Amino acid sequence: MSRPDVPSRPGSVPLLLLVGALVAGIVCLCVGTAFAKHLFPAIGAAGTTAYRVGFAALLLCAFWRPWRWPLSGRDAGTLALYGAVLGAMNLLFYLSLRTIPLGIAVAIEFTGPLAVALLASRRLADVLWIGLAALGLALLLLPRRLAAPAALQPLDPVGLACVLGAALCWALYIVFGQRAGRLHGGQAVSLGMAVAALVVLPVGVAQAGAALFDLRLMGLGLMVAILSSALPYSLEMVALKRLPRQTFGVLLSLEPAIAALAALAILGERLSLPEGLAIACIVAASAGSTLSAARARRAPAAPAA
């Protein structure tokens, strides 16, 4: 059964192009997040989030000029919800990074879209791909806990609560993003980011104060905003409008693997053999989901018996 929030011409854009847009967005997001941690000592997690979301909102609104398209009251309400969960997701995730390692935080946050993918699944193959992705996530977590005795200590409860809240917001972001997909993609992502900025900026200013106006820090914040918000959310909106919800959710399983690679390149975190196997499981799940979606999209075109 088709959903009203998915365009009626899903085949108008090649599947591989949609997948490429989503993967490129994930790469930008992970690299930007790794760089963002360097700003924490100067302006804190909330201040860094204010840079990320605030600059991204300005850039996206300047590029897309969302006022060019009409906006009904119903669509404005949808965008308000979309932007609110987007802002809360960013803020909660960055707050969790104060006490939880990046790889673990990304893996826990991923439970949000994974739950969306599982609930939206209608075929046995989709459940198998999700299970393979979940296995990869488990392999990513276990080696870290076994390799360092200090990691055997329970996770910080405040940080854990923050990242679980971010996971819930990520799930809601997918749901509301699908609904906002009825609008022009540029209008939806730019106005959504503007709402997110209204949610995050008061918290960031309250924490960082005048330090937010340091020109050197603002330059770094602008780079973080481009890499981790402006580019990824624009690319994700393109994919989110046309990919089936369960496929979108499973493809996001690439994020823990890409985050681990970004941490290796930028933060110097090395990968163990089990972590390498975890990446293989996640990539296989993503590839399998893509192939399954391609077969499902070709099926309606077959001639009737």
Side-chain angles (χ1 to χ4, degrees), residues 49 52-53 85-95 229 233:
T49 311
R52 173 184 180 178
V53 177
V85 298
L86 181 59
M89 177 179 69
N90 280 274
L91 180 59
L92 288 170
F93 181 72
Y94 272 45
L95 289 174
S229 287
Y233 291 125

Side-chain angles (χ1 to χ4, degrees), residues 8-137:
S8 59
R9 296 171 59 200
S12 59
V13 178
L15 178 67
L16 289 180
L17 183 60
L18 295 174
V19 172
L22 182 56
V23 172
I26 295 171
V27 171
C28 291
L29 178 62
C30 293
V31 171
T33 301
F35 276 116
K37 290 194 70 173
H38 295 302
L39 291 172
F40 281 19
I43 56 175
T48 303
T49 311
Y51 273 159
R52 173 184 180 178
V53 177
F55 279 129
L58 292 174
L59 291 169
L60 289 170
C61 286
F63 181 79
W64 289 110
R65 293 176 289 166
W67 50 85
R68 294 180 296 167
W69 296 280
L71 188 67
S72 68
R74 178 184 177 184
D75 289 334
T78 299
L79 283 177
L81 292 172
Y82 169 71
V85 298
L86 181 59
M89 177 179 69
N90 280 274
L91 180 59
L92 288 170
F93 181 72
Y94 272 45
L95 289 174
S96 75
L97 292 181
R98 296 175 301 177
T99 55
I100 294 182
L102 176 60
I104 293 177
V106 171
I108 295 174
E109 190 191 25
F110 178 73
T111 59
L114 185 61
V116 172
L118 183 59
L119 291 174
S121 174
R122 295 294 182 271
R123 298 189 301 270
L124 177 61
D126 292 322
V127 178
L128 294 176
W129 301 131
I130 292 170
L132 189 58
L135 174 62
L137 291 175

Side-chain angles (χ1 to χ4, degrees), residues 26-278:
I26 295 171
V27 171
C28 291
L29 178 62
C30 293
V31 171
T33 301
F35 276 116
K37 290 194 70 173
H38 295 302
L39 291 172
F40 281 19
I43 56 175
T48 303
T49 311
Y51 273 159
R52 173 184 180 178
V53 177
F55 279 129
L58 292 174
L59 291 169
L60 289 170
C61 286
F63 181 79
W64 289 110
R65 293 176 289 166
W67 50 85
R68 294 180 296 167
W69 296 280
L71 188 67
S72 68
R74 178 184 177 184
D75 289 334
T78 299
L79 283 177
L81 292 172
Y82 169 71
V85 298
L86 181 59
M89 177 179 69
N90 280 274
L91 180 59
L92 288 170
F93 181 72
Y94 272 45
L95 289 174
S96 75
L97 292 181
R98 296 175 301 177
T99 55
I100 294 182
L102 176 60
I104 293 177
V106 171
I108 295 174
E109 190 191 25
F110 178 73
T111 59
L114 185 61
V116 172
L118 183 59
L119 291 174
S121 174
R122 295 294 182 271
R123 298 189 301 270
L124 177 61
D126 292 322
V127 178
L128 294 176
W129 301 131
I130 292 170
L132 189 58
L135 174 62
L137 291 175
L139 290 173
L140 274 175
L141 292 175
L142 292 176
R144 292 178 182 273
R145 296 180 65 83
L146 295 175
L152 295 175
Q153 300 177 1
L155 294 175
D156 173 66
V158 175
L160 182 59
C162 286
V163 76
L164 287 174
L168 174 61
C169 288
W170 196 354
L172 293 174
Y173 161 76
I174 293 174
V175 174
F176 292 132
Q178 286 274 7
R179 296 178 184 175
R182 289 192 298 262
L183 305 173
H184 183 277
Q187 181 189 37
V189 73
S190 56
L191 290 181
M193 192 64 71
V195 174
L198 294 177
V199 172
V200 169
L201 283 174
V203 183
V205 171
Q207 180 181 80
L212 283 176
F213 300 98
D214 182 289
L215 292 179
R216 183 183 65 85
L217 294 177
M218 290 178 71
L220 294 175
L222 178 60
M223 180 187 71
V224 168
I226 293 173
L227 285 175
S228 61
S229 287
L231 281 176
Y233 291 125
S234 294
L235 293 170
E236 284 185 11
M237 179 56 68
V238 172
L240 191 60
K241 288 177 63 177
R242 296 172 176 87
L243 283 176
R245 185 177 299 175
Q246 65 268 27
T247 304
F248 183 91
V250 176
L251 281 173
L252 286 177
S253 62
L254 280 170
E255 184 163 336
I258 296 175
L261 293 175
L264 172 65
I266 299 170
L267 303 176
E269 297 178 0
R270 296 186 176 277
L271 296 173
S272 65
L273 178 59
E275 288 170 331
L277 293 175

